[in-house]
Amino acid sequence: MTIAPEQVDEWTVDTLDLDAYLGRIGQDRAKPSATALRELAKAHVLAVPFENVDVVLEQHKGIALDDVIGKLVRRHRGGYCYEHGSLFAAAAERLGYPVRRLVARVQPQKNGPYTHMTLAIEADGVQHLVDVGFGAGMLVPMPLVDGAVVDQAGWPHRLVADGDWWRLQKLEGGDWTDLHAFTLTPMHRIDYEVYHHYTSTHPRSPFTGQLVIMRLEEGLSRKLIGDEFIVERPDGTKETTTIPPERLDATLRELDVVLTEEELAKLLKVYPG
């Protein structure tokens, strides 16, 4: 009997060693619930960095789940949205959560690109936005409820329904700013391959010309953008320092990105300074 295309597991979730993934983020298996989903997402964000080193080095192997697992689970490395989203979606499905893979338009007020992978995951009968790959942004899921406000590591975020669209917003300086906008239309694996190709190769992509490494924890956001190390706190304080080449490896390790000697040598050749 010929299997219809929609019956094929295009996401290859059985590729994932679930216990290895849970060990990587320091979690045990738990029955699906909103509380368990919150703990799973938070543990993922705290353990796995957002980083684009392979894009900068022009050595990205792609976003097939096996490649993502090799990098984010088996090595002490991170990735960007397609890698985080694919990995977390596979783990959530293996744990029994219904998952819908989505795409969002970043900074819609500025006509940003429609390229960001995000997830809608059902828990306790409620759909939640789960965005573990949005840089130093979301720490925990948000219920897909119009007007829902959730504290994200000290920074209030809000979801607003806008027709068929949902807008993720952040409270900044007393005003709500759109971070991205998405619909609940499910994507296919090939869609992300197209988005990834643009994001990892196009000269206007924000990820091809400089390092973008982000870490988020309660009350603290740390970023390495190019050679600038930026520390931000919910009270609005911000500290920026320039990282010289001789401090790059130590700074990467502080951000939980561990490179091989060969990778570090290649990175230093294109690093500012």
Side-chain angles (χ1 to χ4, degrees):
M1 181 181 70
T2 302
I3 299 177
E6 62 271 19
Q7 293 178 279
V8 176
D9 176 19
E10 62 179 314
W11 306 109
T12 64
V13 298
D14 288 340
T15 304
L16 177 63
D17 180 339
L18 183 58
D19 290 330
Y21 168 75
L22 292 174
R24 170 76 165 96
I25 66 172
Q27 288 288 290
D28 296 321
R29 292 183 185 235
K31 294 178 62 175
S33 70
T35 298
L37 180 63
R38 178 185 177 91
E39 292 304 311
L40 189 72
K42 183 176 181 179
H44 179 107
V45 174
L46 292 177
V48 187
F50 182 99
E51 53 109 330
N52 71 330
V53 172
D54 285 350
V55 173
V56 172
L57 295 181
E58 299 181 350
Q59 65 175 27
H60 204 291
K61 292 183 178 180
I63 57 174
L65 185 57
D66 191 53
D67 290 326
V68 172
I69 293 166
K71 181 181 173 187
L72 275 65
V73 176
R74 300 191 187 113
R75 291 190 59 191
H76 205 89
R77 288 288 304 277
Y80 62 174
C81 67
Y82 313 113
E83 296 162 287
H84 283 275
S86 298
L87 179 59
F88 193 86
E93 285 185 330
R94 290 286 303 277
L95 288 166
Y97 293 94
V99 176
R100 187 177 299 187
R101 295 161 177 83
L102 310 174
V103 68
R105 183 178 299 284
V106 179
Q107 295 185 320
Q109 73 279 16
K110 298 181 181 179
N111 295 319
Y114 191 59
T115 56
H116 172 59
M117 182 179 185
T118 189
L119 308 170
I121 300 181
E122 183 179 328
D124 292 343
V126 176
Q127 293 286 327
H128 293 77
L129 174 68
V130 181
D131 210 342
V132 295
F134 197 48
M138 283 181 55
L139 186 61
V140 295
M142 298 181 65
L144 275 173
V145 176
D146 186 23
V149 176
V150 175
D151 180 277
Q152 298 290 351
W155 288 269
H157 284 57
R158 181 173 73 175
L159 280 171
V160 177
D162 182 9
D164 292 335
W165 289 83
W166 289 86
R167 293 181 180 270
L168 175 66
Q169 301 177 327
K170 181 180 181 180
L171 187 62
E172 298 180 304
D175 296 319
W176 290 101
T177 301
D178 287 346
L179 299 180
H180 67 57
F182 60 95
T183 72
L184 297 180
T185 303
M187 296 291 108
H188 291 283
R189 179 175 169 179
I190 188 61
D191 298 321
Y192 297 118
E193 294 286 353
V194 174
Y195 305 143
H196 164 66
H197 178 70
Y198 168 84
T199 305
S200 63
T201 64
H202 198 281
R204 293 184 63 184
S205 166
F207 299 109
T208 54
Q210 63 180 358
L211 282 175
V212 180
I213 301 173
M214 303 183 182
R215 305 294 285 122
L216 181 67
E217 57 190 274
E218 291 290 352
L220 185 65
S221 168
R222 295 175 295 156
K223 305 174 185 178
L224 181 63
I225 309 296
D227 63 350
E228 289 193 340
F229 187 66
I230 304 163
V231 177
E232 296 176 280
R233 294 178 175 83
D235 63 6
T237 57
K238 180 177 178 179
E239 304 164 11
T240 302
T241 56
T242 300
I243 304 300
E246 60 269 21
R247 282 283 304 158
L248 179 59
D249 186 35
T251 302
L252 291 174
R253 289 175 181 273
E254 289 174 16
L255 296 170
D256 303 308
V257 178
V258 180
L259 303 184
T260 65
E261 290 185 6
E262 180 182 2
E263 288 169 337
L264 180 61
K266 289 175 63 177
L267 185 57
L268 283 169
K269 291 181 180 179
V270 297
Y271 186 71

